[in-house]
C-alpha cells in the first residue's frame, strides 16, 4: 500500500466510524425493536444474571434457538457497563467498531482478489512444487478502497453496524475467514488452513448458515490446476474438523441440556414454514384458534422450543407438499425468481429509520447490483484468481436462504463482496503498478 492509499484508508475508517457513532448518538433507543435485537439483549441479561443461556419468552429454559457468540459478547459488555442505556450504547459502539473493522478487511480482501501478482518459490505440498507467495497489486487495493469508501457511507450498511444484530459480527468473521483461506491457498501450509477453519468455526458461532461452506471450498480447490482431488478433499476435511473442534463445547452443552446431538441450532422450523407461503403471507387466513399468536394452522408445544421447532418443520413439509400439489407453477416461480427477488431486490432497514429514503436507496441498490454483476463477469474474463470461489460463496449463501425466509437483511453479509466487484469495474488491471 502506498502512502497515498494509506491516507485514503485512514480517512475512510475515520469517516466510517464517525458516521456510525453519530447515528448511534442521534438515534439511541430508536434503534431498538421488539424483535431479534431485543431478544439478544434479554438473552445476554439473563445469561449474566442467572448463568442460563435463554431466548425469547422462555426465560427459565436453556435454549438452542440461537448461536451463543453475539449474546456472549453482549453479556460481557453488560458486565462492564451495566445492562441499562449505558450498556446498550456501549454495545452499539462496539458493534460499530466491528463494522468499521470490516472496512479494513474489505481493502485487504480487494488486494487479494484483483490483479494479484504471484512469485514462484519452492514450497513442497504432497511432493509438488507450488506458488507460495503472492503480492497485492495497486489496482486490487484501489478496488478495496473504493468498496470500503462506498460501504462507509452506504446508509443500510451503516445502520446494521449500529443495530444489536448478529450480521455485523458475522460479516467481519466471514471476511477474515476468506482472507485467511486465500492466504492458505497461496502458502499451501497446513497451519494456515487450520487457522481458516478456526475462523470458520467462530463465524458459525455467530450465524450457523456458513457451516456447509467447506463443501464449496473443496469443489473450488478441486477445479484449480494447482490442486488435485486428494488435496482438495484433505483441505475440506481440515476445515470440517476444525469447525467441529471449535463447536465441540456447544455440542457437548446441547447434549447435556437436551439429550440429543445438536451441532448448530434448532430454529429452522419457523423460517422454513414461513418460506412455504408465497410472498411470506402467513397471516392470509388469520390467527390460529388454539394459539392466537400464531397464524392459522400453526401449532406449538407450550414450554418446549425444541419440540415446537420439530413440529413447525413437519408442518412446513406438509404445507409445501400441499401447495405444490394445488398450484405447482406458482410454487416453482416463488422458489426461484420470487425468493431470489425478495432476497436481493431490496434494502435493509431497521425500526424504519431509513423509510424516507427507501425509494432512492432501492434505486441505488439496483444500480450497484448491476455494476457488481458486470464486475463479476469482467473478473471471469480477466481470469482473476478467486472469482469462482467468490461466485460459489455468493451462490451458496443465496441458495441456502431461498430454502427459508428471504429478506434483504439476510443478504447483508454479501454486501462487501457485491461492493468489491462493483468497485472492480472502475480499476485497471495492471499488476505492475
Amino acid at each position: 500500500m502506498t502512502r497515498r492509499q494509506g491516507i485514503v484508508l485512514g480517512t475512510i475508517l475515520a469517516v466510517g466510524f464517525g458516521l456510525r457513532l453519530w447515528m448511534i448518538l442521534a438515534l439511541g433507543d430508536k434503534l431498538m425493536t421488539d424483535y431479534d435485537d431485543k431478544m439478544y439483549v434479554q438473552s445476554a441479561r439473563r445469561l449474566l444474571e442467572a448463568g442460563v443461556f435463554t431466548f425469547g419468552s422462555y426465560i427459565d429454559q436453556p435454549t438452542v434457538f440461537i448461536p451463543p457468540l453475539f449474546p456472549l459478547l453482549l453479556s460481557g459488555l453488560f458486565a462492564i457497563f451495566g445492562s441499562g442505556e449505558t450498556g446498550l450504547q456501549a454495545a452499539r459502539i462496539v458493534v460499530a467498531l466491528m463494522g468499521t473493522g470490516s472496512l479494513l478487511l474489505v481493502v485487504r480482501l480487494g488486494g487479494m482478489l484483483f490483479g494479484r501478482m504471484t512469485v514462484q518459490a519452492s514450497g513442497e505440498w504432497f511432493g509438488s512444487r507450488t506458488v507460495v507467495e503472492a503480492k497485492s497489486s495497486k489496482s486490487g487495493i484501489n478496488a478495496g478502497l473504493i468498496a470500503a469508501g462506498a460501504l462507509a457511507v452506504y446508509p443500510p450498511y451503516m445502520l446494521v453496524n449500529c443495530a444489536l444484530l448478529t450480521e455485523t459480527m458475522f460479516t467481519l468473521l466471514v471476511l477474515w475467514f476468506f482472507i485467511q483461506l486465500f492466504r492458505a491457498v497461496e502458502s499451501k501450509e497446513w497451519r494456515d488452513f487450520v487457522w481458516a477453519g478456526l475462523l470458520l468455526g467462530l463465524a458459525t458461532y455467530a450465524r450457523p448458515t456458513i457451516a456447509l461452506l467447506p463443501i464449496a471450498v473443496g469443489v473450488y480447490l478441486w477445479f484449480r490446476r494447482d490442486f488435485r482431488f486428494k488435496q482438495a478433499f484433505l483441505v475440506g476435511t481440515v476445515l470440517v474438523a476444525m469447525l467441529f473442534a471449535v463447536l465441540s463445547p456447544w455440542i457437548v452443552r446441547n447434549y447435556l441440556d437436551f439429550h440429543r446431538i445438536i451441532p448448530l441450532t434448532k430454529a429452522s422450523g419457523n423460517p422454513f414454514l414461513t418460506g412455504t407461503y408465497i410472498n411470506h403471507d402467513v397471516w392470509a387466513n388469520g390467527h390460529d384458534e388454539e394459539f392466537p399468536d400464531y397464524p392459522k394452522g400453526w401449532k406449538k408445544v407450550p414450554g418446549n422450543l425444541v419440540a415446537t421447532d420439530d413440529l413447525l418443520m413437519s408442518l412446513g413439509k406438509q404445507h409445501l407438499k400441499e401447495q405444490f400439489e394445488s398450484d405447482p407453477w406458482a410454487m416453482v416461480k416463488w422458489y426461484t425468481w420470487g425468493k431470489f427477488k425478495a432476497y436481493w431486490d431490496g434494502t435493509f432497514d431497521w425500526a424504519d429509520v431509513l423509510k424516507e429514503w427507501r425509494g432512492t436507496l432501492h434505486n441505488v441498490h439496483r444500480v450497484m447490483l448491476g455494476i457488481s454483476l458486470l464486475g463479476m463477469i469482467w473478473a471471469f474474463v480477466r481470469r482473476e484468481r478467486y472469482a469462482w470461489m467468490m461466485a460459489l460463496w455468493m451462490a451458496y449463501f443465496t441458495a441456502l436462504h431461498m430454502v427459508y425466509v428471504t429478506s434483504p437483511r439476510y443478504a447483508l453479509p454479501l454486501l462487501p463482496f457485491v461492493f468489491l466487484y462493483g468497485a472492480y469495474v472502475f480499476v485497471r488491471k495492471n499488476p505492475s503498478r
Side-chain angles (χ1 to χ4, degrees):
M1 182 177 293
T2 66
R3 182 173 181 274
R4 180 179 296 178
Q5 288 173 328
I7 293 173
V8 172
L9 174 59
T11 303
I12 290 172
L13 296 179
V15 170
F17 180 68
L19 288 173
R20 284 153 178 77
L21 184 60
W22 166 79
M23 181 175 281
I24 290 170
L25 297 177
L27 296 177
D29 60 2
K30 292 181 181 179
L31 290 166
M32 182 70 72
T33 72
D34 289 326
Y35 302 105
D36 288 1
D37 50 355
K38 183 177 181 180
M39 293 183 182
Y40 290 136
V41 169
Q42 290 174 339
S43 177
R45 287 171 174 166
R46 187 62 178 163
L47 181 61
L48 191 60
E49 294 167 359
V52 181
F53 182 45
T54 65
F55 188 74
S57 58
Y58 298 86
I59 61 173
D60 296 319
Q61 298 181 19
T63 189
V64 71
F65 198 78
I66 58 172
L69 189 58
F70 189 64
L72 280 171
L73 172 66
L74 292 180
S75 64
L77 293 171
F78 291 165
I80 299 172
F81 299 101
S83 60
E85 188 56 33
T86 300
L88 291 174
Q89 288 291 72
R92 293 186 184 108
I93 291 172
V94 169
V95 172
L97 285 169
M98 287 192 291
T100 306
S102 71
L103 303 179
L104 179 62
L105 296 185
V106 164
V107 177
R108 178 72 179 95
L109 187 59
M112 302 182 81
L113 289 178
F114 308 125
R116 197 86 160 129
M117 293 189 300
T118 57
V119 180
Q120 294 288 341
S122 57
E124 293 291 334
W125 204 58
F126 285 103
S128 61
R129 299 179 73 82
T130 60
V131 174
V132 299
E133 185 181 358
K135 296 181 180 179
S136 298
S137 70
K138 183 178 179 181
S139 61
I141 295 174
N142 284 340
L145 290 170
I146 294 171
L151 287 166
V153 300
Y154 185 54
Y157 198 70
M158 287 170 51
L159 179 58
V160 75
N161 292 165
C162 299
L164 297 180
L165 298 170
T166 59
E167 276 73 17
T168 297
M169 171 185 280
F170 179 69
T171 303
L172 179 74
L173 291 170
V174 168
L175 289 166
W176 197 359
F177 162 74
F178 276 114
I179 290 170
Q180 183 60 39
L181 175 67
F182 296 154
R183 180 180 296 149
V185 168
E186 291 163 0
S187 73
K188 307 292 193 301
E189 293 284 348
W190 283 115
R191 64 174 180 271
D192 289 332
F193 285 110
V194 168
W195 280 110
L198 173 63
L199 290 168
L200 179 67
L202 290 176
T204 306
Y205 268 129
R207 290 190 71 87
T209 44
I210 198 175
L212 298 178
L213 188 61
I215 298 174
V217 174
V219 170
Y220 164 72
L221 293 179
W222 183 16
F223 283 93
R224 279 178 63 107
R225 287 183 294 181
D226 55 337
F227 278 78
R228 298 190 299 271
F229 172 78
K230 182 179 179 181
Q231 295 169 336
F233 178 79
L234 288 175
V235 168
T237 301
V238 168
L239 293 179
V240 172
M242 282 303 302
L243 174 64
F244 276 94
V246 174
L247 292 178
S248 58
W250 174 248
I251 297 172
V252 171
R253 174 263 185 189
N254 292 341
Y255 185 79
L256 293 176
D257 284 340
F258 300 98
H259 310 292
R260 57 196 292 188
I261 300 296
I262 304 176
L264 300 174
T265 60
K266 286 288 292 179
S268 57
N270 186 309
F272 177 77
L273 177 53
T274 301
T276 64
Y277 289 78
I278 294 177
N279 297 322
H280 303 131
D281 192 8
V282 298
W283 299 103
N285 298 318
H287 297 255
D288 188 76
E289 295 84 357
E290 185 179 3
F291 302 104
D293 58 328
Y294 272 26
K296 187 176 180 62
W298 289 37
K299 303 298 178 183
K300 63 181 175 180
V301 180
N304 192 325
L305 271 175
V306 174
T308 297
D309 183 77
D310 291 336
L311 177 58
L312 292 177
M313 178 61 75
S314 176
L315 291 172
K317 294 176 181 178
Q318 178 183 341
H319 187 258
L320 182 65
K321 180 181 178 182
E322 292 172 351
Q323 292 301 107
F324 264 102
E325 289 175 349
S326 64
D327 195 343
W329 170 242
M331 291 300 288
V332 168
K333 184 179 178 181
W334 169 237
Y335 269 86
T336 52
W337 173 246
K339 286 200 172 189
F340 184 85
K341 188 174 185 293
Y343 187 73
W344 280 109
D345 190 26
T347 55
F348 170 77
D349 197 359
W350 198 246
D352 288 331
V353 170
L354 305 175
K355 62 181 178 180
E356 294 182 16
W357 304 277
R358 192 168 296 164
T360 300
L361 290 173
H362 191 189
N363 292 332
V364 171
H365 179 74
R366 286 182 168 181
V367 171
M368 192 64 237
L369 288 179
I371 297 174
S372 178
L373 179 59
L374 178 61
M376 177 64 77
I377 295 172
W378 201 353
F380 283 127
V381 171
R382 290 177 163 182
R383 297 183 180 181
E384 296 292 357
R385 289 172 59 83
Y386 301 115
W388 277 110
M389 184 65 249
M390 292 292 90
L392 282 172
W393 156 240
M394 289 190 274
Y396 158 81
F397 207 64
T398 300
L400 184 68
H401 283 90
M402 286 174 64
V403 176
Y404 303 100
V405 174
T406 45
S407 164
R409 172 186 166 187
Y410 304 129
L412 283 168
L414 296 180
L415 274 188
F417 304 92
V418 170
F419 276 63
L420 274 168
Y421 279 94
Y424 180 57
V425 173
F426 301 100
V427 300
R428 301 181 297 174
K429 183 180 180 180
N430 189 350
S432 63
R433 297 181 63 182

